[in-house]
């Protein structure tokens, strides 16, 4: 019966039409030199994350779940707060009308970084003192670590978008690898001499310094290249791209909350050990997949913006190509995690991290869908779908908070709470993917 159905489809030419469309999409990608050069970014990011993976068996044996929980809380705060350092205006530098306007956007964002980072660090201090969410478990000495991480991380995000516009993908790949190498190397060295969570935090800062130094050196060569700008002209540029602040910033903030809020809530409801296990899973799997998906998004963002500016066709084919390739990477990984995730985690990390294995299996479907969505983010920004993204992120945040609040109240186990998170987030992600497709087609 199945063979008859396949034969019928072949006769009707459906398969031939499908492969013809995919071939067309591939031609759209490969015929442009920028895409071939951009492959360096994706490959470099993948290699950096693969190399990082080999450090985790050591880290899991020199740091315990509670120490990882403290580090996870600091990382959760910086992961949420970093989107507010420049109010998401930095993303508009990719689609700016010219290099002078793009550089002006970067200057505005750099000027915002220090004061906003200091305000956010004070907010963390207040949350620790008031024991808000799970941040009451943090020592006060963690505040300066978080503040420095915000300043360095914010600067790197700003300059990363500037490099994306210039299609300096090779440099981004090298810096990503350099950051991972320095971070994990320092964390391992300090862990061996029993620095505790401070070793993890210091390693994070050293990695960020290593990355920002390389990028900032190149940027300084272009600081005065396009002339000086007075306050009025900078204000005009900022207002021209205000949609990124009005819609992009709330959406990015909500997205960051959805991705990072689970660790503080688990720390508050189930303790630092549960938070540490989840934080390690996010570091090992979620963060690398997000970076890899983000690299694909960075590449597509620059190329989609170019296609839009020049009026060329082929955006729909590019969307299909990226989505199919992302699913082809994510689906096999998800199946492997569902089948062998728990056993692999115990073998690699040790028996004290068995809970992390349970979390990994529970989060597998969500990780795949998030990887695909991250890879397609460039289409949302270029086609001005910030409102659509804001609605999706709001739904995911609301549903996640509902699960995290009601789960402990209904006396769910921590594993059951994480499974419920995966279900509600996966439903929202599937709807969002459908809406992205409709957004591109309608444009």
């Amino acid at each position: 019966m199945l063979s008859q159905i396949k034969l019928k489809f072949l006769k009707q030419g459906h398969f031939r039409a499908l492969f013809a469309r995919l071939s067309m999409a591939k031609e759209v990608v490969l015929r442009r030199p920028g895409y071939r050069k951009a492959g360096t970014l994706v490959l470099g990011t993948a290699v950096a994350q693969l190399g990082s993976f080999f450090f985790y068996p050591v880290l899991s044996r020199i740091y315990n779940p509670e120490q990882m929980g403290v580090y996870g809380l600091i990382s959760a705060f910086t992961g949420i707060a970093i989107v507010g350092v420049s109010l998401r205006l930095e993303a508009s530098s990719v689609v700016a009308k010219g290099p002078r306007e793009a550089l002006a956007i970067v200057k505005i964002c750099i000027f915002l970084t220090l004061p906003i980072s200091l305000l956010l660090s004070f907010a963390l201090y207040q949350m620790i003192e008031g024991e808000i969410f799970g941040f009451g478990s943090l020592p006060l000495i963690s505040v300066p670590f978080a503040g420095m991480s915000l300043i360095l991380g914010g600067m790197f995000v700003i300059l990363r978008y500037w490099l994306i516009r210039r299609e300096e993908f090779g440099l981004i790949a090298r810096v990503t690898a350099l950051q991972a190498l320095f971070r994990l190397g320092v964390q391992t060295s300090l862990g061996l001499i029993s620095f505790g969570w401070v070793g993890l935090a210091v390693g994070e800062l050293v990695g960020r310094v290593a990355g920002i130094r390389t990028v900032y050196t190149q940027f300084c060569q272009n600081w005065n290249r396009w002339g000086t700008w007075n306050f009025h002209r900078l204000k005009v540029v900022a207002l021209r791209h205000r949609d990124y602040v009005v819609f992009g910033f709330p959406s990015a903030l909500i997205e960051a909350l959805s991705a990072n809020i689970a660790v503080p809530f688990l720390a508050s409801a189930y303790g630092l050990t549960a938070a540490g296990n989840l934080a390690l899973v996010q570091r090992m799997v979620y963060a690398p997949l997000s970076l890899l998906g983000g690299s694909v998004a960075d590449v597509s963002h620059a190329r989609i913006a170019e296609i839009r500016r020049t009026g060329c066709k082929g955006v729909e084919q590019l969307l299909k190509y990226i989505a199919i390739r992302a699913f082809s990477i994510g689906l096999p990984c998800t199946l492997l995690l569902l089948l062998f995730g728990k056993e692999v985690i115990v073998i690699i990390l040790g028996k004290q991290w068995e809970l992390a294995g349970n979390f990994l299996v529970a989060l597998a479907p969500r990780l795949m869908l998030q990887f695909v969505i991250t890879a397609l983010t460039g289409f949302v920004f270029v086609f001005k779908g910030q409102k659509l993204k804001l609605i999706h992120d709001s739904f995911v945040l609301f549903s996640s908070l509902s699960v995290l609040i009601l789960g402990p109240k209904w006396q769910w186990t921590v594993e059951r709470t994480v499974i419920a998170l995966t279900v509600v987030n996966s439903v929202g992600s599937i709807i969002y993917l459908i809406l992205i497709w409709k957004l591109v087609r309608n444009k």
Side-chain angles (χ1 to χ4, degrees), residues 198-230:
V198 175
L200 293 167
V202 171
E204 183 71 29
L205 290 179
V206 172
R208 291 185 185 274
V209 170
I212 195 67
R213 180 181 178 183
T214 304
V215 178
Y216 191 71
T217 300
Q218 179 163 345
F219 174 75
C220 286
Q221 300 172 3
N222 294 271
W223 180 265
N224 295 316
R225 183 176 179 182
W226 302 102
T228 59
W229 288 72
N230 56 39

Side-chain angles (χ1 to χ4, degrees), residues 307-387:
I307 293 173
R308 191 78 188 273
R309 287 194 299 264
T310 58
C312 299
K313 297 181 180 180
V315 177
E316 284 188 35
Q317 288 83 359
L318 180 59
L319 174 63
K320 292 178 184 177
Y321 181 82
I322 294 175
I324 291 173
R325 286 302 177 92
F327 270 111
S328 68
I329 294 172
L331 188 58
C333 293
T334 301
L335 293 175
L336 289 174
L337 291 177
L338 289 172
L339 293 173
F340 309 109
K342 181 178 178 179
E343 291 76 10
V344 170
I345 287 293
V346 172
I347 293 172
I348 294 176
L349 304 182
K351 290 185 178 180
Q352 67 171 336
W353 298 96
E354 184 177 354
L355 184 58
N358 295 333
F359 287 160
L360 182 59
V361 173
L363 291 170
R366 177 189 177 188
L367 295 174
M368 179 194 69
L369 291 170
Q370 189 61 44
F371 170 69
V372 177
I373 286 176
T374 304
L376 299 178
T377 301
F379 292 92
V380 178
F381 285 121
V382 173
F383 286 92
K384 299 188 181 298
Q386 286 91 339
K387 295 180 182 179

Side-chain angles (χ1 to χ4, degrees), residues 9 38 46 63 95 99 102 121 129 132 166 170 194 241 343 349 388:
F9 268 72
Y63 295 104
V95 296
S121 299
E129 284 288 298
I132 299 174
R166 292 165 56 89
S194 303
H241 297 277
E343 291 76 10
L349 304 182
L388 174 65

Side-chain angles (χ1 to χ4, degrees), residues 384-431:
K384 299 188 181 298
Q386 286 91 339
K387 295 180 182 179
L388 174 65
K389 189 173 185 297
L390 179 59
I391 294 171
H392 162 262
D393 293 338
S394 300
F395 168 78
V396 172
L397 177 60
F398 175 78
S399 58
S400 298
L401 286 174
S402 300
V403 170
L404 291 168
I405 293 172
L406 295 176
K409 185 177 180 180
W410 292 342
Q411 297 183 346
W412 285 358
T413 63
V414 64
E415 293 93 337
R416 187 175 181 183
T417 301
V418 173
I419 291 173
L421 271 178
T422 297
V423 172
V424 296
N425 288 333
S426 298
V427 171
S429 298
I430 292 171
I431 295 173

Side-chain angles (χ1 to χ4, degrees), residues 226-285:
W226 302 102
T228 59
W229 288 72
N230 56 39
F231 176 78
H232 175 72
R233 297 181 72 180
L234 290 175
K235 180 180 177 182
V236 170
V237 171
L239 290 175
R240 186 179 300 153
H241 297 277
R242 62 183 177 273
D243 280 356
Y244 283 83
V245 177
V246 175
F247 299 109
F249 167 63
S251 178
L253 178 60
I254 293 171
E255 182 182 13
L257 282 167
S258 302
N260 295 282
I261 200 66
V263 170
F265 269 85
L266 259 62
S268 177
Y270 299 102
L272 278 176
T273 298
N277 277 272
L278 181 62
L280 186 60
V281 169
Q282 289 179 336
R283 278 283 172 180
M284 285 186 63
V285 183

